[in-house]
């Protein structure tokens, strides 16, 4: 099937497109590329490379330059890119104590990639430099190189007319996502490529190396699924210097493609082959460099020895297989350097074949590492028996990524991708007692802080499941409801964190089931002040709550190479959208934990890099005898000297740590003792104050009780004398009076008793008297005495509450009852000799009681 022509540019104004492919490597030959395309309205865009860089010794199609920066001790760049290829640059760096930044791209990679390279192989960043700062310096250099080249080729006015609207596309490995893209965009802004505005940020796009490679293969006319009805796929294997990127696609009838499996990224590129060879050579830099530049590319048989020319032809040492300055290495040994990378690619293809949505029909291998005949043949021999064809382009496979990146931005051919993992938010879910899964988590049930409902916190609300095809325009949304007690609290959704689940469960529901499998992807921040809160009533746990709620949807778009977000809400029955900002916690960079030998290893790697120019420096020396021995001895001395210095510094650091730990422990103990003493003193002072207050209060209460007791005694004595006098007068008069008169006097006595009870009630209800209501101990005595005359405990206790409430009826009745019994006692004491009189007075007394 013929490849359709590239469409004409549909824009209304001319634009310039620049693509940067910043590669990663262990040694100096790994490169970056810059390509460009001038977009003229109505014309088919052409993709052209930037082929000339400052200090580059050649001009031509090979536009690769080293991804290396030298910094001086002030942190200023001294040499970048092609400038680091100048003769004598290593000597300048050593004499001026420059720091070397190389393979810095790997520091930006995500920490969660299972196939991440060993941190022991990764050189540290220069002192006081972050990975974003290094990227910024390198992008600024690339921008200047592109500006100089285009200005020289098309004229300065051409660049100036398009400078403010340049479109940029940056490539990155398959495993990179939002945090890494955000860091690279920040570097582009700091480098001055685009302004820090919405429009400026939109001019920076990203494409994975796997997808860029597909565009390259497609644009070169490679046969990719010629029969679109067989529902089969093609696998793109981009074998580069640092990584192996694997992506599977299916070609559609409209010449577009869709991903049919989750892209993978493995750190087993050609630089790892060189690294393993370096360890075999005891990390002798010149041998490692010669192997990488010559031997690795031509190796194709494991039964033929490989000879590495590294010294003068006069050098020989049969004991070490060195003749005429060449080291002989058995082919079987060289094959072991390739074995892990070969096995990685084979296993990756088999894994994609098993997990892809459609069967894999063919594999295309591109990238610098794919040029190795040994690698290609081993992969082909292992995969073709599975019914899968293995192919590679004939030429320019080094340009696959950068060429494909420009093609991607001009006219992308991928319209759907596969979600890498499950994405969602952590929220509360209403507890359902009938749900079996909820029943298993009853110990986790909480009450919502606002609604009071029973909820299961930590529920994972999936917005986009894993391994789902996602088109560029497809939206994935989930509805949420937010509650507040105050409607003014709805201002911004600045804490909605988007998580990703990386485990094997196809339907993750609870964060606490596998907390180590969840990763914070980003935070979605959106202004929700335009959403009108609605008042609602919640009834839970016997309480009625008035609260406010808003309903909204978080909308995520995963189809593009970047995550985008929106917030959706209803306004009078019409859905409205508000933009949301996707924020990342950091730049996604990796901070390698360098152990005690970290600096030593960094120095060794730096020495290996510096030694890359030895093969050019040796022929210029007058004395060629013993050159290799001198170089090896000098390098070993440097390494040994650095090791001694590091050991000394490590010992000093350990001593300082021990002193600091001892001083910290002593200070901590002293602080604890001071706090204990202060607490004891504070408690003693508070206790003494409380005791003084209690003593003062007891003295006041005792004085008041004495005063009240004296007053009550005096009143009782007066009332007793009055009653006795009245009783005596009554008895005396009774002897002298008739029965009628006697009855009249009894009625008068009743009136007096009633009036006396009223006066006693008034005295008791006075304000001063109310403070002297008997305590519980006195009440028990009163209850005992009054029970003898027929009063119950309940009546007596009710009598007390009645006095406090100014209700004296019951008290007057009690006083009258006491006086009547007292009168009876007095009268009966005068008539103890006459039973007739006693009976008479008993009847009289019964009448008095009845009339009272």
């Amino acid at each position: 099937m013929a490849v359709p022509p590239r469409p004409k540019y549909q824009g209304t104004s001319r634009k310039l497109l620049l693509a940067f492919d910043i590669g990663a490597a262990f040694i100096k030959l790994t490169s970056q590329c810059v390509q460009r395309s001038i977009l003229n309205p109505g014309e088919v865009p052409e993709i052209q490379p930037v082929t000339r860089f400052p200090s580059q010794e050649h001009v031509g199609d090979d536009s690769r330059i080293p991804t290396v920066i030298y910094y001086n001790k002030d942190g200023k760049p001294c040499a970048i890119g092609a400038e680091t290829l100048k003769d004598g640059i290593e000597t300048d760096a050593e004499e001026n104590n420059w720091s070397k930044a190389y393979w810095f791209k790997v520091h930006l990679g995500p920490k969660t990639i299972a196939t991440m390279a060993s941190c022991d192989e990764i050189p540290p960043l220069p002192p006081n430099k972050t990975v974003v700062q290094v990227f910024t310096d390198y992008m600024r250099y690339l921008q200047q190189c592109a500006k100089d080249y285009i200005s020289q080729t098309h004229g300065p006015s051409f660049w100036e007319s398009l400078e403010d609207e340049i479109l940029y596309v940056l490539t990155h490995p398959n495993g990179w996502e939002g945090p890494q893209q955000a860091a690279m965009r920040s570097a582009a802004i700091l480098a001055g490529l685009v302004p820090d505005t919405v429009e400026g940020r939109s001019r920076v796009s990203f494409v994975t190396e796997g997808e860029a490679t597909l565009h390259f293969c497609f644009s070169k006319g490679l046969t990719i699924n010629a029969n679109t009805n067989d529902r089969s796929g093609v696998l793109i294997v981009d074998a580069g210097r640092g990584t192996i990127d694997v992506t599977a696609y299916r070609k559609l009838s409209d010449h577009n493609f869709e991903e049919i499996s989750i892209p993978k990224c493995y750190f087993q590129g050609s630089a790892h082959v060189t690294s393993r060879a370096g360890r075999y050579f005891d990390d002798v830099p010149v041998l490692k460099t010669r192997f990488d530049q010559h031997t690795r590319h031509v190796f194709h048989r494991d039964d033929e020895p490989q000879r590495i020319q590294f010294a003068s032809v006069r050098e020989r040492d049969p004991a070490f297989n060195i003749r005429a300055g060449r080291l002989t290495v058995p082919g079987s040994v060289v094959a072991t350097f390739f074995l892990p990378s070969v096995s990685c690619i084979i296993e990756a293809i088999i894994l994609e074949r098993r997990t892809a949505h459609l069967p894999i029909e063919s594999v295309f291998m591109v990238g610098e590492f794919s040029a190795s005949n040994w690698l290609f043949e081993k992969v082909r021999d292992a995969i073709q028996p599975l019914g899968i064809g293995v192919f590679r382009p004939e030429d320019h496979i080094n340009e696959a990524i950068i060429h494909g990146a420009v093609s991607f931005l001009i006219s992308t051919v991928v319209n759907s991708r596969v979600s890498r993992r499950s994405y969602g938010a952590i929220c509360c879910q209403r507890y359902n007692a009938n749900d079996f899964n909820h029943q298993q988590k009853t110990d986790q049930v909480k009450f919502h802080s606002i609604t009071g409902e029973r909820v299961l916190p930590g529920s994972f609300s999936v917005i986009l499941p894993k391994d789902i095809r996602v088109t560029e325009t497809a939206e994935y949304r989930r509805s949420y409801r937010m509650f507040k007690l105050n409607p003014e609290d709805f201002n911004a959704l600045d804490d909605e964190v988007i998580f990703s689940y990386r485990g094997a469960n196809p339907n993750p529901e609870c964060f606490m089931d596998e907390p180590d499998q969840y990763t914070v992807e980003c935070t979605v921040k959106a202004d929700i002040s335009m959403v009108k809160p609605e008042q609602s009533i919640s009834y839970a746990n016997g309480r009625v709550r008035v609260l406010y709620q808003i309903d909204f949807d978080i909308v995520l778009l995963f189809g593009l190479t970047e995550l985008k977000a929106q917030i959706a809400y209803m306004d009078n029955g019409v859905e409205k959208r508000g933009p949301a900002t996707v924020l990342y916690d950091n730049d996604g960079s990796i901070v390698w934990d360098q152990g005690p030998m970290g600096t030593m290893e960094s120095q060794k790697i730096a020495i290996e890099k510096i030694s890359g120019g030895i093969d050019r420096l040796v022929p210029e020396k007058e004395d060629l005898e013993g050159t290799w021995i001198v170089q090896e001895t000098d390098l070993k001395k440097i390494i040994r000297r650095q090791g001694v210095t590091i050991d000394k510094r490590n010992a000093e650091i350990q001593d300082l740590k021990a002193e600091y730990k001892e001083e910290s422990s002593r200070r901590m103990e002293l602080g604890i003792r001071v706090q204990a003493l202060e607490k004891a003193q504070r408690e003693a002072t508070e206790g003494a104050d409380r005791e003084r207050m209690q003593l003062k209060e007891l003295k006041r209460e005792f004085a008041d009780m004495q005063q009240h007791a004296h007053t009550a005694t005096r009143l009782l004595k007066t009332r007793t004398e009055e009653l006795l006098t009245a009783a005596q007068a009554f008895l005396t008069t009774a002897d002298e009076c008739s029965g009628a008169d006697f009855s009249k006097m009894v009625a008068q006595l009743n009136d007096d008793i009633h009036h006396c009870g009223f006066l006693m009630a008034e005295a008791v209800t006075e304000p001063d008297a109310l403070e002297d209501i008997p305590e519980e101990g006195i009440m028990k005595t009163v209850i005992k005495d009054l029970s003898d005359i027929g009063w119950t405990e309940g009546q007596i206790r009710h009598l007390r509450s009645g006095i406090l409430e100014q209700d004296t009826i019951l008290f007057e009745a009690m006083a009258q009852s006491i006086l009547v019994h007292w009168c009876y006692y007095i009268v009966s004491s005068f008539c103890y000799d006459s039973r007739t009189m006693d009976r008479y007075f008993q009847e009289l007394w019964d009448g008095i009681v009845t009339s009272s």
Side-chain angles (χ1 to χ4, degrees):
M1 180 179 295
V3 177
R6 181 176 288 121
K8 296 179 180 180
Y9 174 54
Q10 300 299 319
T12 59
S13 61
R14 172 184 284 179
K15 289 186 181 296
L16 175 62
L17 188 157
L18 291 179
F20 294 164
D21 176 30
I22 302 176
F26 293 103
I27 58 177
K28 69 176 184 178
L29 290 182
T30 288
S31 64
Q32 63 79 33
C33 299
V34 180
Q35 293 221 3
R36 61 191 171 94
S37 179
I38 301 173
L39 308 179
N40 293 312
E43 297 182 7
V44 177
E46 293 185 8
I47 301 174
Q48 299 174 324
V50 174
T51 59
R52 189 165 54 246
F53 296 89
S55 301
Q56 195 172 23
E57 297 179 356
H58 64 277
V59 177
D61 292 338
D62 188 2
S63 57
R64 301 185 303 159
I65 60 175
T67 312
V68 178
I69 304 179
Y70 283 103
Y71 290 96
N72 63 18
K73 58 184 178 181
D74 296 327
K76 302 296 184 182
C78 301
I80 306 180
E83 299 170 359
T84 63
L85 294 175
K86 294 188 299 184
D87 290 341
I89 191 69
E90 296 89 352
T91 303
D92 293 340
E94 184 176 2
E95 291 178 352
N96 295 293
N97 196 26
W98 293 348
S99 299
K100 190 176 185 180
Y102 62 109
W103 205 34
F104 53 83
K105 180 178 180 179
V106 182
H107 286 268
L108 192 60
K111 308 173 183 65
T112 54
I113 296 182
T115 52
M116 176 62 69
S118 171
C119 62
D120 294 335
E121 298 177 322
I122 301 176
L125 295 171
N128 302 318
K129 286 289 182 181
T130 66
V131 65
V132 173
Q133 291 173 331
V134 178
F135 258 91
T136 298
D137 292 334
Y138 206 85
M139 285 187 182
R140 187 181 293 115
Y141 164 77
L142 296 180
Q143 176 80 343
Q144 186 62 44
C145 292
K147 177 180 179 181
D148 294 343
Y149 178 82
I150 294 175
S151 297
Q152 294 170 10
T153 305
H154 301 278
S157 60
F158 180 86
W159 175 271
E160 293 172 358
S161 65
L162 301 176
E163 184 175 10
D164 295 335
E165 296 183 1
I166 299 176
L167 302 178
Y168 297 91
V169 57
L170 307 178
T171 66
H172 60 73
N174 286 352
W176 290 20
E177 296 181 283
Q180 292 74 40
Q181 293 173 345
M184 294 176 70
R185 179 177 277 114
S186 297
I189 293 172
L190 294 173
L193 274 63
V194 295
D196 189 9
T197 62
V198 175
E199 186 275 335
R201 289 174 172 268
S202 66
R203 286 164 47 199
V204 180
S205 301
F206 301 94
V207 62
T208 63
E209 294 174 357
E211 189 165 327
T213 303
L214 172 70
H215 282 81
F216 168 78
C217 294
F218 182 67
S219 65
K220 291 299 181 180
L222 300 180
T223 303
I224 303 177
N225 285 33
N227 181 9
T228 57
N229 296 322
D230 61 0
R231 295 184 57 81
S232 61
V234 59
L235 190 66
I236 304 296
V237 177
D238 176 24
R241 289 288 296 173
T243 61
I244 306 292
D245 292 290
V246 181
T247 317
Y249 296 97
R250 172 203 175 196
K251 187 176 180 181
L252 305 176
S253 57
D254 58 357
H255 297 288
N256 286 323
F257 292 82
E258 64 178 5
E259 282 185 358
I260 57 175
S261 69
I262 299 175
K264 303 293 192 305
C265 177
Y266 305 90
F267 279 81
Q268 282 293 349
S270 62
H272 293 266
V273 176
T274 302
S275 179
R276 287 186 283 269
R279 288 194 291 270
Y280 175 80
F281 300 138
D282 293 330
D283 287 325
V284 175
V286 65
L287 289 174
K288 185 176 180 180
T289 301
R290 289 286 185 148
F291 174 85
D292 187 74
Q293 293 178 349
H294 304 284
T295 309
R296 179 175 61 81
H297 300 281
V298 299
F299 175 71
H300 67 284
R301 294 184 60 177
D302 58 0
D303 57 353
E304 291 183 357
Q306 300 297 310
R307 295 174 177 83
I308 303 174
Q309 186 75 42
F310 69 95
S312 168
V313 294
R314 299 181 182 181
E315 300 299 326
R316 59 184 288 113
D317 189 343
F320 292 95
N321 291 329
I322 298 176
R323 293 178 177 83
R326 294 186 301 177
L327 174 65
T328 301
V329 182
S332 58
V333 173
V334 177
T336 63
F337 305 156
F338 284 81
L339 181 59
S341 297
V342 173
S343 300
C344 174
I345 295 176
I346 294 173
E347 293 173 3
I349 295 174
I350 294 175
L351 176 63
E352 291 295 311
R353 178 173 178 260
R354 185 173 66 251
T355 60
H357 297 171
L358 297 172
I360 301 297
E361 181 185 71
S362 54
V363 174
F364 283 90
M365 297 186 63
V366 296
E368 182 264 352
F369 197 11
S370 295
S372 168
N373 290 330
W374 174 261
L375 174 72
F376 176 75
E377 292 171 0
K378 286 297 178 182
V379 173
R380 183 187 59 188
D381 294 344
I383 298 302
Q384 280 192 342
L386 302 178
I388 300 175
V390 180
F391 312 95
R392 63 176 173 179
E394 293 183 358
D395 56 4
H396 300 294
I397 58 177
N398 291 334
E399 300 177 7
I401 294 177
I402 190 65
H403 187 284
V406 180
S407 179
F408 159 80
L409 200 57
I410 292 175
S411 58
T412 181
V413 297
V414 179
N415 60 15
S416 70
R417 297 166 180 85
V418 176
S419 56
R420 275 57 171 166
R421 56 192 66 89
S422 296
Y423 299 87
I426 305 297
C427 61
C428 291
Q429 186 178 7
R430 285 189 176 91
Y431 177 72
N432 183 1
N434 298 322
D435 190 311
F436 176 77
N437 292 330
H438 287 203
Q439 295 173 3
Q440 305 303 309
K441 297 181 174 62
T442 54
D443 58 325
Q444 302 177 19
V445 176
K446 306 290 183 182
F447 289 100
H448 195 281
S449 59
I450 297 179
T451 66
E453 297 176 290
R454 300 175 72 191
V455 296
L456 277 173
S459 297
F460 184 53
S461 173
V462 177
I463 300 176
L464 174 64
K466 178 183 178 181
D467 204 19
I468 297 297
R469 291 183 189 173
V470 181
T471 64
E472 290 188 0
T473 58
E475 296 181 349
Y476 294 85
R477 59 197 296 167
R478 194 67 182 263
S479 299
Y480 297 93
R481 176 169 293 172
M482 184 182 294
F483 296 96
K484 298 287 184 182
L485 295 176
N486 188 344
E488 297 177 356
D489 293 339
F490 294 107
N491 49 13
L493 181 65
D494 56 357
D495 58 352
E496 189 57 51
V497 180
I498 302 300
F499 286 80
S500 66
Y501 171 74
R502 304 172 183 272
N505 188 348
N507 186 29
E509 295 182 347
C510 182
F511 174 82
M512 294 308 297
D513 289 345
E514 300 175 276
D516 57 334
Q517 296 297 328
Y518 290 86
T519 302
V520 174
E521 286 294 325
C522 60
T523 299
V524 178
K525 181 177 182 179
D527 183 10
I528 58 173
S529 58
M530 73 289 290
V531 185
K532 298 179 181 179
E534 297 181 1
Q535 189 182 66
S536 61
I537 304 296
S538 173
Y539 179 79
N541 297 328
R543 293 179 57 191
V544 177
R545 293 178 171 87
V546 178
L547 45 89
Y548 297 85
Q549 70 181 46
I550 63 171
D551 297 322
F552 60 94
D553 287 7
I554 294 179
V555 183
L556 299 180
L557 295 90
F558 293 85
L560 301 174
T561 56
E562 295 181 79
L563 171 66
K564 297 185 181 299
Q566 291 179 332
I567 181 173
Y569 61 95
M570 300 300 294
D571 186 8
N572 295 327
V574 179
E575 181 179 280
K576 294 187 176 181
R577 295 288 182 96
T581 304
V582 179
L583 304 176
Y584 297 95
D585 293 337
N586 50 51
D587 60 7
S589 60
I590 299 173
V591 179
W592 296 107
D593 183 12
Q594 297 289 345
M597 294 302 293
T599 306
M600 176 65 175
E601 294 298 323
S602 302
Q603 293 294 334
K604 290 172 65 177
I605 296 174
I607 292 169
E608 294 172 3
K609 295 286 287 182
I610 294 172
S611 68
I614 288 179
D615 59 325
R616 294 192 297 273
L617 296 177
V618 169
E620 300 174 5
K621 291 185 176 291
E622 297 179 357
D623 185 10
L624 299 179
E625 297 290 338
T627 300
W628 161 243
I629 298 176
V630 173
Q631 292 172 349
E632 182 183 28
T633 303
D634 291 341
L635 292 176
K636 288 183 177 179
K637 286 181 179 179
I638 294 174
I639 295 173
R640 188 160 51 249
R641 185 165 59 251
Q642 292 291 342
V644 172
T645 303
I646 292 170
D647 292 339
K648 182 178 179 180
R649 293 291 183 267
N650 287 337
E652 293 175 354
I653 292 173
Q654 294 301 324
D655 293 341
L656 290 174
K657 286 183 177 180
E659 292 176 5
Y660 175 79
K661 183 176 181 181
E662 182 178 353
E663 181 66 16
S664 299
S665 300
R666 190 182 66 82
R667 288 175 177 266
M668 184 178 296
E669 293 175 359
L670 182 61
I672 293 173
R673 291 176 59 188
V674 170
Q675 291 178 358
L677 290 174
E678 290 177 350
K679 181 179 180 181
Q681 182 181 6
R682 186 165 56 252
E683 291 176 351
T685 302
E686 292 174 354
D689 292 340
R690 286 195 299 270
E691 291 176 358
R692 282 195 294 270
M693 293 296 295
Q694 291 175 358
L695 180 59
K696 183 177 179 180
E697 185 67 17
L698 289 173
K699 287 182 178 181
R700 188 186 66 79
E701 291 178 359
F702 180 76
D704 293 341
M705 291 176 64
Q706 283 184 323
Q707 180 66 28
H708 293 153
H710 179 71
T711 302
T713 301
R714 186 170 65 251
L715 178 62
L716 181 60
K717 182 178 179 181
T718 300
R719 294 292 187 267
T720 302
E721 290 175 353
E722 291 176 354
L723 288 173
L724 290 175
T725 301
Q728 186 176 4
F730 170 77
L731 293 175
T732 302
T733 306
D735 292 338
E736 300 174 352
C737 299
S738 63
D741 293 331
F742 184 78
S743 297
K744 183 178 181 180
M745 286 187 289
V746 168
Q748 181 63 41
L749 178 60
N750 284 334
D751 291 338
D752 292 338
I753 289 173
H754 183 271
H755 184 65
C756 184
F758 175 78
L759 293 176
M760 292 177 69
E762 281 189 333
V764 170
T765 57
E766 289 180 359
D768 293 337
L770 288 175
E771 297 179 359
D772 301 327
I773 298 300
E775 297 298 332
E776 188 63 25
I778 301 176
M779 284 295 298
K780 291 181 179 180
T781 304
V782 173
I783 292 171
K784 181 177 182 302
D785 294 339
L786 292 181
S787 63
D788 295 337
I789 60 174
W791 285 75
T792 66
E793 181 178 350
Q795 292 173 330
I796 297 170
R797 292 191 179 277
H798 185 67
L799 170 68
R800 182 185 183 190
S801 61
I803 294 173
L804 291 175
E805 297 174 0
Q806 300 292 319
D807 184 2
T808 61
I809 295 177
L810 188 60
F811 180 84
E812 291 178 18
M814 180 202 70
Q816 293 174 18
S817 176
I818 293 173
L819 291 175
V820 167
H821 282 82
W822 203 350
C823 290
Y824 172 79
Y825 171 77
I826 294 173
V827 172
S828 62
S829 64
F830 295 121
C831 306
Y832 54 65
D833 290 333
S834 174
R835 294 184 176 179
T836 302
M837 185 62 68
D838 288 342
R839 185 172 61 255
Y840 176 78
F841 276 110
Q842 181 66 46
E843 293 175 357
L844 183 61
W845 170 252
D846 294 337
I848 292 173
V849 172
T850 303
S851 63
S852 299

